[in-house]
Amino acid sequence: MHVLVVGKGGREHALVWKLSQSPHVKRLSAAPGNAGTARLADNVDIPDSDTARLADYAEREKVDLTVVGPEAPLSAGIVDAFTERSLRIFGPSAAAAELESSKAFAKRFMTDNHIPTAAYRIFENPDEALGFVKTASFPVVIKADGLAAGKGVAVCSTLGEAEETIISIMVEKIHGSAGARLIVEQHLAGDELSVMAFSDGKTVVPMIPAQDHKRAYEGDSGPNTGGMGAVAPVLFPRPGVMDRIRKEILEPTIEGLSAMGRPYVGVLYAGLMLTDHGPKVLEYNCRFGDPEAQVVLPLLRSDLVEIVLASLAGELELAEVEFSRDFCICVIAVSGGYPGPHETGFQVRGFGRVNWKEVEIFHAGTKHVKSKTFTAGGRVVGVTAWAPELATARERAYRNIRHLSFEGVRYRADIAEKYLLSIREKSRKAHA
Ligand SMILES: Nc1ncnc2c1ncn2[C@@H]1O[C@H](COP(=O)(O)OP(=O)(O)O)[C@@H](O)[C@H]1O
Ligand SMILES: [Mg+2]
């Protein structure tokens, strides 16, 4: 088969890497890809937003299967456009992807389908939102309705912060039309985790749970980023919680969408908070998480092509979806200044010193000129390692990321640290 991956980040490199291991795949392309995908696939110089050119390419080059990484093309209807031209593509339709592209839609959907989520109000007018927060108890969480590249959410501890956030979203329109509506919701306390699942529209098969590290600096401080690192599996959900997540969240989501005539085929991502009252949905995404994909795909033992084909055929229940029992960690090296303004175009050095038996490196914001690699984005590369013990995987990732250098390089030194300490604490207690 000729398989095309749409996108250019770390998630897409991990997808290309995983797909390249399938005996079904004879040819791989990535559009537009990055310096990492270029080593395993043909990079095609078409932006992920140019649906018509992507479909032309798929037709001309006899692409048998297209796998879409990012949310923007899904929300813009790439799956609908390909399907109309009888091109096989994996991902939800624009109607099903509204679960991610409109947080207000997702909230109403959850209410209608009795799916646990934070209490909320939706506002289309800044004065009403401002009036509402005057009487709220803090903290509250304020969210722009539409896609805002991970920058549309603020946890507000004071009335002043809430007022500023409402004004910046609805009056100053810092996220453009994504802020035409906003949601004010109850702040939930607990452990956060990401559960991704394959779906064929009827059957939903969860992957192992993962945890992202959103904040820029150690100790979960600083501004939110696209993700500074991740770990999987996270085992802290108490026994029975994964079952509840499937029964109370994933299955009713797939059933609810199907009942609305918007069957969900693709990867469904539930961002969850494990509260004292059970798991609750913070948000849905309509695709693999980035960086969660980089820690979940390496542990997927089954053939991804077969899972995707089974999903597209409506036969996911027949597919084998198995994970190894290892732990996987990914530490992301970012450009100086990220998530704020940052320069790019610096050479990334040190790949020759990496011990490739210990790690896999997934490129995110990179491009290559001849055989050299240069920075091309905020998140540059993710150093990924897996092993039977989390401590070993962590050591491998950190031992090797030190070899990589580029002007301004930075990474968090504490990815999976808290989790590792909690595992050690538990085993200490078990042996005491
Ligand atoms: N109701 C909530 N209570 C506590 N924290 C929240 C809540 N909603 C969102 N957050 C925090 O804000 C982050 C971003 O919110 P999310 O809804 O995932 O939006 P996005 O990923 O689109 O920015 C979450 O990962 C979580 O840490
Ligand atoms: Mg999120």
Side-chain angles (χ1 to χ4, degrees), residues 123 144-146 166 169-171 173 175-182:
F123 296 96
D145 175 44
I166 292 167
I169 293 176
M170 288 196 127
V171 182
K173 300 187 167 53
H175 306 299
S177 60
R181 282 185 291 192
L182 63 72

Side-chain angles (χ1 to χ4, degrees), residues 175-324:
H175 306 299
S177 60
R181 282 185 291 192
L182 63 72
I183 293 116
V184 180
E185 70 178 39
Q186 168 202 16
H187 180 264
L188 300 175
D191 284 316
E192 202 174 328
L193 89 163
S194 312
V195 176
M196 303 185 283
F198 295 104
S199 171
D200 65 1
K202 314 183 298 264
T203 301
V204 59
V205 178
M207 298 179 227
I208 48 172
Q211 192 168 46
D212 183 7
H213 293 58
K214 283 250 155 258
R215 302 294 201 92
Y217 305 115
E218 279 78 8
D220 294 323
S221 61
N224 265 330
T225 67
M228 297 293 293
V231 60
V234 291
L235 304 173
F236 50 67
R238 273 177 239 127
V241 171
M242 283 304 290
D243 262 351
R244 284 188 69 180
I245 291 170
R246 192 163 48 75
K247 291 208 184 83
E248 295 173 19
I249 293 167
L250 299 172
E251 287 174 359
T253 301
I254 297 303
E255 281 161 23
L257 284 168
S258 169
M260 287 175 86
R262 304 185 188 203
Y264 193 102
V265 180
V267 170
L268 175 69
Y269 169 127
L272 305 170
M273 192 69 89
L274 300 181
T275 73
D276 292 341
H277 306 283
K280 296 194 178 185
V281 178
L282 297 177
E283 67 155 350
Y284 292 109
N285 290 331
C286 63
R287 32 75 193 176
F288 278 104
D290 187 339
E292 289 91 334
Q294 290 93 305
V295 291
V296 170
L297 289 172
L299 300 183
L300 176 61
R301 277 216 296 243
S302 314
D303 186 328
L304 181 58
V305 173
E306 288 182 6
I307 299 172
V308 165
L309 293 179
S311 302
L312 291 170
E315 295 175 345
L316 183 57
E317 62 188 330
L318 303 178
E320 177 206 282
V321 184
E322 295 206 346
F323 290 89
S324 102

Side-chain angles (χ1 to χ4, degrees), residues 29-284:
S29 305
N34 59 35
T37 63
R39 315 176 103 245
L40 299 164
D42 297 323
N43 280 359
V44 183
D45 192 15
I46 305 174
D48 56 27
S49 54
D50 198 338
T51 301
R53 276 181 67 208
L54 289 168
D56 289 345
Y57 174 84
E59 230 164 54
R60 194 176 62 240
E61 297 297 322
K62 305 200 165 37
V63 170
D64 299 290
L65 171 66
T66 299
V67 178
V68 186
E71 63 277 18
L74 291 166
S75 305
I78 189 171
V79 169
D80 310 77
F82 270 55
T83 307
E84 195 147 291
R85 291 170 65 168
S86 303
L87 294 162
R88 189 153 59 181
I89 185 165
F90 182 62
S93 64
E98 199 174 352
L99 224 40
E100 173 166 6
S101 63
S102 169
K103 289 184 189 290
F105 171 80
K107 285 302 238 182
R108 291 193 183 110
F109 172 83
M110 286 187 272
T111 305
D112 292 347
N113 290 279
H114 313 288
I115 294 165
T117 188
Y120 65 98
R121 291 276 303 265
I122 298 169
F123 296 96
E124 309 208 341
N125 151 333
D127 293 328
E128 282 170 23
L130 288 165
F132 176 75
V133 292
K134 280 203 173 56
T135 62
S137 49
F138 289 86
V140 295
V141 183
I142 300 184
K143 303 185 173 188
D145 175 44
L147 295 181
K151 298 193 170 78
V153 172
V155 176
C156 302
S157 318
T158 63
L159 176 61
E161 276 175 63
E163 287 172 340
E164 260 174 52
T165 303
I166 292 167
I167 287 167
S168 67
I169 293 176
M170 288 196 127
V171 182
E172 293 160 6
K173 300 187 167 53
I174 57 168
H175 306 299
S177 60
R181 282 185 291 192
L182 63 72
I183 293 116
V184 180
E185 70 178 39
Q186 168 202 16
H187 180 264
L188 300 175
D191 284 316
E192 202 174 328
L193 89 163
S194 312
V195 176
M196 303 185 283
F198 295 104
S199 171
D200 65 1
K202 314 183 298 264
T203 301
V204 59
V205 178
M207 298 179 227
I208 48 172
Q211 192 168 46
D212 183 7
H213 293 58
K214 283 250 155 258
R215 302 294 201 92
Y217 305 115
E218 279 78 8
D220 294 323
S221 61
N224 265 330
T225 67
M228 297 293 293
V231 60
V234 291
L235 304 173
F236 50 67
R238 273 177 239 127
V241 171
M242 283 304 290
D243 262 351
R244 284 188 69 180
I245 291 170
R246 192 163 48 75
K247 291 208 184 83
E248 295 173 19
I249 293 167
L250 299 172
E251 287 174 359
T253 301
I254 297 303
E255 281 161 23
L257 284 168
S258 169
M260 287 175 86
R262 304 185 188 203
Y264 193 102
V265 180
V267 170
L268 175 69
Y269 169 127
L272 305 170
M273 192 69 89
L274 300 181
T275 73
D276 292 341
H277 306 283
K280 296 194 178 185
V281 178
L282 297 177
E283 67 155 350
Y284 292 109

